[in-house]
């Protein structure tokens, strides 16, 4: 086998190894492999230092350290050097060790090294298996190495893995993302199992390349099969109808959207609106617009631009003024004065008018001025780009930027910082990478505002590793750069990193502001780390930052989540001014602590102070009712939110209602609540129902929920374990085996959960059957004593997972 593949391996090696040489020689000095990274799970708070302590404890106890669990730990905390050193002390003849290493490097974003280890695997005479190639192909995709991917594809075919669903899916993604739809389609047709995600990848690939006939063809094939289209499917195919004027086909799709229950989905509704407007069916478009329960900015812009594009200027103006847009009248008066007095509209004055109109949400007025211009400069183009992004028209912003490059107008730092948020809004990370490359080539990478925009783009596109890399390479960092990185870590489940960055920010002498404080407090609340929160509170008082409403609200949230409701109340009482965010924070604080009565008293006070409640207020109240077991009260406030205050329920409100009813054992009502939702339930809603089924022992409804969960979030091990435990409790052992087999087939790994407690400003962490803590013997002895006392009081322990009777006998 290896002799046959030798030529392919040589080609791949030459293709990849060249860019690695300079990278590899300096790897021991690269800070990317020295800084700690934290585990992906939000329930785990392990850093490199703590991981090494665990490793050292194992050595002291004479336990072998050449263990794949330790290797996985080093990879998860991002320590390439430690992982590499441990890896080479292991049995290199075992493919599982290589797979773990390659998969870990891909998750770290070290794609070059992942490919390098793949070649080392081949060089050691180890045969790759079906778990090796998905990660290897993903690395090729991330590096845009299509040629490398095609050569690996040939090896996959020789080994008979081409029709493996996971390998095939990764290859299709590689080809589609790089515009090779014919190669993707050939492989797609060979796969025995094709889920909705895979169909959508192919469909979007054709739409992206404007291969509209093929897009429609694959959609019709999808409909003939058993795969049900989702909101992503309809958004893609409807965009084809709008661009090609196929309104009759579009109306048929509209009917299909309604029958699938997706007509209230905002993305689908806005695409339908755009389709009707572009095809000139404005009456139908307006009917749809009026039916949207909560029209967002895209909906308004779509309807207004539809009227303008079809010449109905008065209707556009009428709809536009309804939106109530600040100082628009003053801007128009200035514009009128300029025209009446014959003042020449040079490029600078036009740029200023464009900027005013766009900031007042008058997109069409700004567009008219821009389109009537004969001379353009970088200032006007930048004003249009930033204005389009502000108004949610990210595709239009990118079009202006592409035109600018085509006309050889060189973008400046402000232009590039303005266009990057468009990539964020569209989750277009590939375009973002191209812009980042342009920024580096033009010597603008060290500009603080540009760096902040790049960091924000990568973080919001899910690539926190790249955001870190950009941040570390900045030679100068202002408060905006630091705030961007701290907020990114806090919002991406990395609270420890956020706090470490906050400390580093102070050590560099960069001045903290309210954004820094709020982001750090949010991170502390998620740990929790009370002592550090108190330090920040003291800093706020000393530096007169306690008057900021949002920072104070974050302080309330931090104290409440750290278990100090009295301190949260004290902060609230001391606030001179209070807005809806402040009231929501204190109401949620009492609700999360199970004090429903106090929660409702605060709600009444909020109303008496003439503060209008919003969707967050009612979410806190309904959640509080669930914690207190007051089902009828929760239902009453849900109805009140909709009927009295006109606030449409969101996904999180339905999830809260399902939890409320599920806790009370009213599972049928919980399921009916899901069925009544005006949009498709997400994994959070179905997961809440599954959890309720576990506590109530309802197998039938649990299987319904799990089917949806395995489609929506197939890599979440928690759902598989929850269903497996429920089936085991019910004695359905064949079904348990099926669930476990499905996990193995999909490559789902059960991530161990950690818990932690803070004692005397020191955080102590624990995992099931953990013996690494220095006081573990004393802790287990105390737990044993407590368990005996509980049993004397009548407590009967319930096993987390019952054993199969056959396993017990054997």
């Amino acid at each position: 086998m290896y002799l046959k593949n030798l030529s392919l391996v040589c080609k791949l090696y030459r293709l990849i190894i060249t860019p690695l040489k300079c990278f590899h020689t300096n790897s021991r000095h690269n800070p990317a492999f020295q800084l700690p990274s934290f585990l992906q799970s939000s329930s785990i708070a392990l850093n490199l230092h703590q991981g090494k302590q665990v490793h050292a404890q194992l050595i002291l106890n004479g336990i072998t350290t050449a263990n794949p669990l330790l290797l996985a730990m080093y990879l998860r905390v991002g320590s390439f050097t430690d992982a590499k050193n441990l890896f080479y002390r292991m049995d290199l003849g075992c493919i599982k060790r290589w797979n773990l290493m390659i998969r870990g490097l891909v998750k770290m974003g070290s794609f070059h090294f992942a490919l390098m280890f793949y070649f080392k695997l081949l060089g050691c005479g180890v045969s790759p298996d079906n778990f090796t190639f998905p990660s290897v192909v993903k690395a090729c995709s991330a590096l845009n190495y299509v040629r490398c991917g095609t050569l690996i594809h040939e090896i996959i075919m020789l080994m008979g893995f081409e029709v493996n669903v996971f390998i095939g899916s990764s290859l299709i993604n590689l080809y589609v993302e790089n515009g090779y739809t014919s190669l993707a389609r050939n492989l797609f047709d060979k796969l025995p199992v094709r889920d909705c995600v895979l169909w959508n990848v192919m469909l979007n690939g054709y739409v992206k390349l404007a291969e509209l006939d093929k897009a429609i063809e694959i959609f019709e094939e999808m409909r003939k099969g058993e795969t049900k289209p989702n909101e992503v499917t309809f958004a893609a195919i409807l965009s084809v109808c709008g661009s090609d004027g196929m309104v009759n086909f579009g109306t048929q799709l509209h009917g299909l959207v309604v029958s699938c229950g997706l007509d209230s989905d905002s993305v689908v509704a806005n695409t339908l609106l755009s389709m009707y407007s572009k095809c000139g069916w404005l009456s139908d478009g307006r009917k749809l617009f009026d039916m949207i329960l909560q029209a967002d900015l895209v909906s308004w812009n779509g309807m207004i631009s539809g009227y303008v594009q079809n010449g109905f200027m008065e209707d556009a103006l009428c709809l536009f003024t309804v939106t109530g847009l600040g100082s628009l009248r003053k801007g128009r008066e200035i514009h009128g004065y300029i025209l009446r007095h014959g003042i020449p509209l040079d490029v600078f004055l036009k740029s200023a008018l464009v900027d005013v109109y766009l900031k007042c949400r008058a997109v069409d007025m700004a567009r008219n001025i821009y389109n009537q211009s004969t001379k353009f400069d970088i200032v006007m183009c930048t004003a249009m780009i930033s204005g389009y992004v502000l108004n949610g028209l990210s595709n239009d912003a990118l079009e202006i930027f592409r035109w600018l490059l085509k006309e050889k107008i060189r973008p400046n730092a402000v232009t590039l910082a303005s266009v990057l948020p468009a990539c964020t809004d569209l989750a277009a990370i590939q375009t973002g990478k191209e812009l980042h490359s342009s920024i580096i080539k033009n010597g603008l990478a060290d500009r603080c505002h540009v760096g902040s925009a790049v960091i924000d783009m990568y973080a919001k596109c899910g690539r926190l590793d790249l955001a870190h890399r950009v941040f570390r390479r900045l030679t100068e960092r202002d408060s905006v750069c630091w705030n961007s990185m701290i907020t990114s870590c806090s919002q991406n489940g990395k609270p420890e990193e956020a706090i470490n960055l906050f400390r580093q920010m102070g050590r560099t002498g960069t001045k903290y502001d309210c954004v820094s404080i709020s982001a750090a407090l949010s991170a502390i609340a998620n740990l929790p780390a009370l002592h550090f929160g108190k330090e920040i509170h003291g800093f706020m008082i000393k530096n007169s930052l306690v008057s900021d409403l949002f920072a104070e609200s974050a302080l309330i949230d931090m104290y409440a989540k750290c278990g100090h409701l009295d301190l949260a109340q004290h902060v609230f009482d001391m606030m001179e001014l209070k807005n809806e965010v402040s009231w929501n924070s204190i109401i949620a604080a009492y609700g999360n602590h199970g004090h429903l009565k106090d929660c409702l008293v605060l709600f009444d006070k909020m109303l008496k102070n003439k503060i209008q409640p919003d969707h967050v207020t009612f979410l806190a109240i309904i959640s509080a009712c669930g914690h207190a077991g007051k089902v009828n009260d929760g239902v009453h406030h849900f109805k009140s939110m909709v009927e009295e205050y006109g606030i449409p329920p969101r996904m999180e409100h339905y999830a809260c209602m399902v939890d409320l009813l599920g806790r009370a054992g009213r599972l049928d009502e919980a399921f009916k609540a899901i069925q009544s939702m005006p949009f498709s339930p997400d994994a959070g809603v179905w997961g809440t129902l599954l959890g309720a089924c576990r506590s109530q022992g309802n197998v039938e409804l649990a299987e319904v929920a799990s089917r949806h969960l395995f489609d929506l979030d197939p890599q979440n091990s928690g759902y598989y374990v929850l269903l497996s435990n429920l089936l085991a409790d019910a004695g359905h052992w064949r079904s348990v085996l099926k669930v476990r087999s499905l996990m193995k087939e999909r490559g789902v790994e059960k991530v161990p959960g950690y818990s932690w407690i803070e004692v005397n400003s020191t955080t102590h962490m624990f995992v099931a059957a953990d013996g690494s803590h220095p006081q573990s013997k004393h802790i287990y002895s105390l737990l044993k004593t407590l368990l005996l006392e509980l049993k004397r009081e009548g407590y009967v322990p319930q096993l987390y997972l019952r054993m199969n009777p056959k396993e017990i006998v054997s």
Side-chain angles (χ1 to χ4, degrees):
M1 174 63 75
Y2 288 102
L3 290 173
K4 291 180 181 178
N5 296 340
L6 184 60
S7 61
L8 283 172
V9 172
C10 291
K11 288 180 185 177
L12 286 167
Y13 185 86
R14 286 194 298 272
L15 187 64
I16 299 299
I17 206 66
T18 303
L20 274 173
K21 285 180 180 176
C22 59
F23 197 2
H24 187 265
T25 53
N26 296 322
S27 64
R28 68 178 62 184
H29 303 294
N30 190 336
F33 302 122
Q34 297 168 3
L35 291 174
S37 178
F38 298 93
L39 293 172
Q40 295 297 318
S41 173
S42 60
S43 65
I44 299 172
L46 186 67
N47 59 30
L48 178 59
H49 176 69
Q50 293 163 330
K52 285 189 173 181
Q53 286 182 331
V54 174
H55 195 168
Q57 192 69 32
L58 290 172
I59 294 171
L60 287 173
N61 285 277
I63 300 170
T64 178
T65 58
N67 190 301
L69 292 177
L70 276 173
L71 178 61
M73 180 274 293
Y74 280 127
L75 288 167
R76 282 174 179 163
V77 299
S79 179
F80 171 78
T81 304
D82 292 302
K84 181 186 68 174
N85 292 338
L86 180 62
F87 175 80
Y88 284 126
R89 294 202 300 271
M90 302 174 78
D91 176 17
L92 299 185
C94 177
I95 183 60
K96 290 182 180 179
R97 308 292 182 264
W98 290 95
N99 289 346
L100 180 61
M101 192 70 182
I102 293 168
R103 184 167 60 246
L105 289 169
V106 169
K107 286 182 179 179
M108 286 167 58
S110 301
F111 303 112
H112 280 102
F113 282 97
L115 291 176
M116 185 181 74
F117 269 82
Y118 170 69
F119 294 124
K120 286 187 176 183
L121 175 155
L122 298 177
C124 290
V126 181
S127 178
D129 63 11
N130 58 315
F131 295 107
T132 312
F133 290 110
S135 298
V136 174
V137 175
K138 187 175 181 181
C140 294
S141 184
L143 297 169
N144 297 323
Y145 282 2
V146 183
R147 185 184 167 199
C148 173
T150 55
L151 293 171
I152 290 174
H153 189 176
E154 290 181 39
I155 296 175
I156 289 168
M157 284 191 294
L158 287 170
M159 299 187 71
F161 290 141
E162 188 183 31
V163 293
N164 179 281
V165 174
F166 299 103
I167 296 173
S169 300
S170 59
L171 283 167
I172 289 169
N173 270 300
L174 165 70
Y175 292 142
V176 167
E177 285 177 8
N178 290 278
Y180 292 82
T181 51
S182 59
L183 291 174
R185 184 57 193 269
N186 288 337
L187 180 55
F188 179 84
D189 291 337
K190 295 177 183 177
L191 292 180
V193 179
R194 295 171 289 192
D195 61 9
C196 188
V197 175
L198 207 52
W199 283 98
N200 289 341
V201 168
M202 284 302 308
L203 178 59
N204 277 299
Y206 286 133
V207 172
K208 184 180 177 181
L209 294 175
E211 296 178 356
L212 306 184
D213 291 337
K214 291 182 179 178
I216 294 169
E217 178 185 331
I218 200 165
F219 174 77
E220 290 175 346
E221 284 183 33
M222 180 184 183
R223 287 283 299 142
K224 289 175 183 176
E226 296 179 357
T227 308
K228 186 179 179 182
N230 61 11
E231 61 273 14
V232 178
T233 317
F234 285 114
I237 195 65
L238 283 166
S239 66
V240 172
C241 300
S243 60
D244 211 29
M246 299 171 60
V247 70
N248 291 326
F249 183 52
T251 54
Q252 293 174 22
L253 288 173
H254 192 173
L256 188 58
V257 165
V258 174
S259 67
C260 290
L262 296 171
D263 51 315
S264 58
D265 182 271
S266 60
V267 175
V268 177
N270 290 333
T271 314
L272 277 167
L273 187 61
S274 175
M275 184 266 295
Y276 283 126
S277 298
K278 288 177 180 178
C279 293
W281 287 39
L282 287 179
S283 59
D284 293 83
R286 184 56 192 262
K287 286 177 185 177
L288 175 64
F289 178 78
D290 292 337
M291 289 171 66
I292 297 174
L293 295 174
Q294 191 173 8
D296 58 14
L297 187 60
V298 178
S299 309
W300 283 100
N301 287 336
M303 195 67 245
I304 293 168
S305 62
Y307 278 129
V308 172
Q309 289 166 7
N310 288 276
F312 296 91
M313 304 305 291
E314 290 184 5
D315 294 287
L317 185 61
C318 179
L319 191 64
F320 194 65
T321 52
V322 173
T323 59
L325 302 171
S327 57
L328 178 59
R329 181 176 295 177
K330 291 182 180 178
R332 284 177 172 164
E333 287 174 359
I334 295 168
H335 192 181
Y337 180 88
I338 291 168
L339 295 175
R340 286 195 305 273
H341 290 80
I343 299 171
L345 272 170
D346 59 16
V347 70
F348 301 105
L349 197 50
K350 284 182 178 180
S351 298
L353 282 170
V354 163
D355 186 59
V356 168
Y357 280 129
L358 286 169
K359 285 178 178 174
C360 291
R361 311 289 184 182
V363 177
D364 297 304
M365 295 290 287
R367 189 183 281 131
N368 287 340
I369 294 170
Y370 178 81
N371 291 337
Q372 290 169 12
S373 301
T374 54
K375 291 183 179 180
F376 300 91
D377 69 350
I378 192 61
V379 177
M380 181 181 283
C381 292
T382 301
M384 284 299 295
I385 289 168
S386 61
Y388 274 145
V389 172
L390 178 68
N391 287 276
L393 301 171
S394 297
N395 278 316
D396 294 314
L398 288 175
E399 283 301 315
I400 293 281
F401 185 77
R402 290 189 185 103
W403 176 86
L404 177 152
L405 297 176
K406 184 181 176 182
E407 295 296 317
K408 308 268 194 252
I409 301 174
R410 186 177 180 181
N412 58 23
V414 179
T415 314
L416 292 164
S418 300
V419 77
L420 279 164
C423 302
T424 304
D425 292 341
L426 299 169
I429 191 168
Q430 189 57 45
T431 307
K433 285 181 178 179
E434 291 171 6
L435 286 171
H436 188 193
S437 176
S438 176
I439 287 167
I440 295 169
K441 287 177 182 176
N442 287 283
L444 301 172
D446 286 333
R447 303 284 181 91
C448 286
H449 59 289
V450 178
S452 299
V454 174
I455 290 166
D456 188 63
M457 181 273 294
Y458 278 132
K460 287 182 178 175
C461 288
R463 291 302 304 275
L464 196 60
D465 57 323
L466 295 181
H468 265 298
R469 192 178 299 174
V470 173
F471 179 75
R472 287 194 295 267
R473 289 177 179 173
L474 290 174
T475 53
E476 292 184 11
R477 301 167 187 156
D478 60 5
S479 60
V480 178
C481 289
W482 283 101
N483 292 345
S484 180
M485 198 65 238
I486 293 167
T487 304
S488 296
C489 289
S490 182
Q491 292 176 350
N492 282 276
K494 305 283 186 181
E496 299 92 342
E497 289 190 49
I499 293 170
N500 286 337
L501 285 166
F502 184 78
R503 288 194 181 107
Q504 291 174 35
M505 179 181 178
R507 285 197 291 268
T508 61
T510 309
K511 189 177 179 181
Y512 293 125
D513 57 20
C514 296
V515 178
S516 324
I517 297 293
S518 298
L521 287 170
S522 176
I524 291 163
N526 290 325
L527 273 176
L530 179 63
H531 66 286
F532 193 45
K534 286 182 176 180
E535 289 175 12
I536 292 181
H537 190 182
F539 176 84
M540 290 170 66
I541 295 169
K542 184 179 178 181
N543 292 274
S544 303
L545 289 170
V546 288
S547 59
D548 182 81
L549 286 170
F550 295 98
E552 286 182 299
S553 299
L555 197 60
I556 292 169
D557 184 60
M558 183 275 296
Y559 276 130
K561 286 181 177 176
C562 288
H564 287 262
L565 198 54
D566 55 334
L567 294 177
Q569 181 66 59
H570 178 72
V571 172
F572 181 77
D573 292 338
M574 295 297 291
M575 292 177 71
E576 294 180 6
L577 296 173
K578 300 179 180 75
N579 63 1
E580 69 278 3
V581 178
S582 318
W583 283 97
N584 289 344
S585 296
I586 194 66
I587 289 170
Y590 276 97
N592 290 335
H593 280 256
H595 301 309
L596 178 60
K597 186 177 179 181
D598 295 313
C599 185
L600 296 176
V601 168
L602 284 165
F603 178 62
D604 289 336
K605 286 182 179 179
M606 178 183 182
L607 297 176
K608 287 176 182 177
N609 281 274
K610 297 182 179 179
I611 303 292
Q612 192 71 8
D614 58 12
H615 67 281
V616 180
T617 318
F618 283 101
L619 184 65
I621 292 171
I622 297 167
S623 177
C625 293
H627 287 299
K630 300 292 185 182
V631 181
N632 293 333
D633 288 345
V635 173
H636 164 74
H637 285 291
F638 182 84
K639 289 180 179 178
S640 173
M641 175 184 73
V642 179
E643 296 170 5
E644 293 182 36
Y645 293 92
I647 300 171
R650 301 188 180 189
M651 189 75 73
E652 53 268 29
H653 294 106
Y654 282 104
C656 213
M657 286 300 296
V658 171
D659 181 61
L660 176 81
L661 295 165
R663 284 172 183 261
R666 293 156 65 169
L667 292 178
D668 290 338
E669 292 177 61
F671 187 50
K672 286 178 182 177
I674 294 176
Q675 290 177 314
S676 70
M677 290 173 63
F679 38 76
S680 298
D682 66 0
V685 175
W686 287 114
T688 304
L689 181 64
L690 180 60
C693 292
R694 168 77 167 105
S695 61
Q696 301 297 326
N698 191 320
V699 175
E700 184 179 351
L701 203 53
E703 289 179 334
V704 174
S706 63
R707 280 197 294 271
H708 290 281
L709 287 166
F710 296 162
D711 287 336
L712 292 167
D713 195 1
Q715 293 301 308
N716 190 323
S717 63
Y719 299 137
Y720 296 90
V721 174
L722 201 58
L723 178 62
S724 178
N725 293 343
L726 173 58
L727 293 167
D729 286 341
H732 296 183
W733 297 108
R734 288 186 179 179
S735 299
V736 171
L737 291 173
K738 286 182 181 178
V739 174
R740 292 176 181 174
S741 298
L742 184 61
M743 282 186 74
K744 188 176 181 180
E745 180 186 326
R746 294 185 174 184
V748 179
E749 295 181 359
K750 186 178 181 298
V751 180
Y754 286 77
S755 59
W756 59 90
I757 186 172
E758 184 184 334
V759 180
N760 296 329
S761 302
T762 303
T763 301
H764 301 266
M765 289 193 319
F766 304 93
V767 67
D770 187 10
S772 61
H773 194 278
Q775 294 177 285
S776 60
K777 288 184 179 179
H778 179 68
I779 292 168
Y780 280 114
S781 175
L782 184 60
L783 282 173
K784 187 176 180 180
T785 303
L786 287 171
L787 187 58
L788 288 171
E789 291 294 327
L790 286 167
K791 287 180 178 178
R792 288 194 189 102
E793 295 294 325
Y795 169 71
V796 179
Q798 181 182 2
L799 293 175
Y800 182 59
L801 179 62
R802 289 173 55 192
M803 292 292 291
N804 188 329
K806 293 181 180 178
E807 294 177 1
I808 295 172
V809 172
S810 60

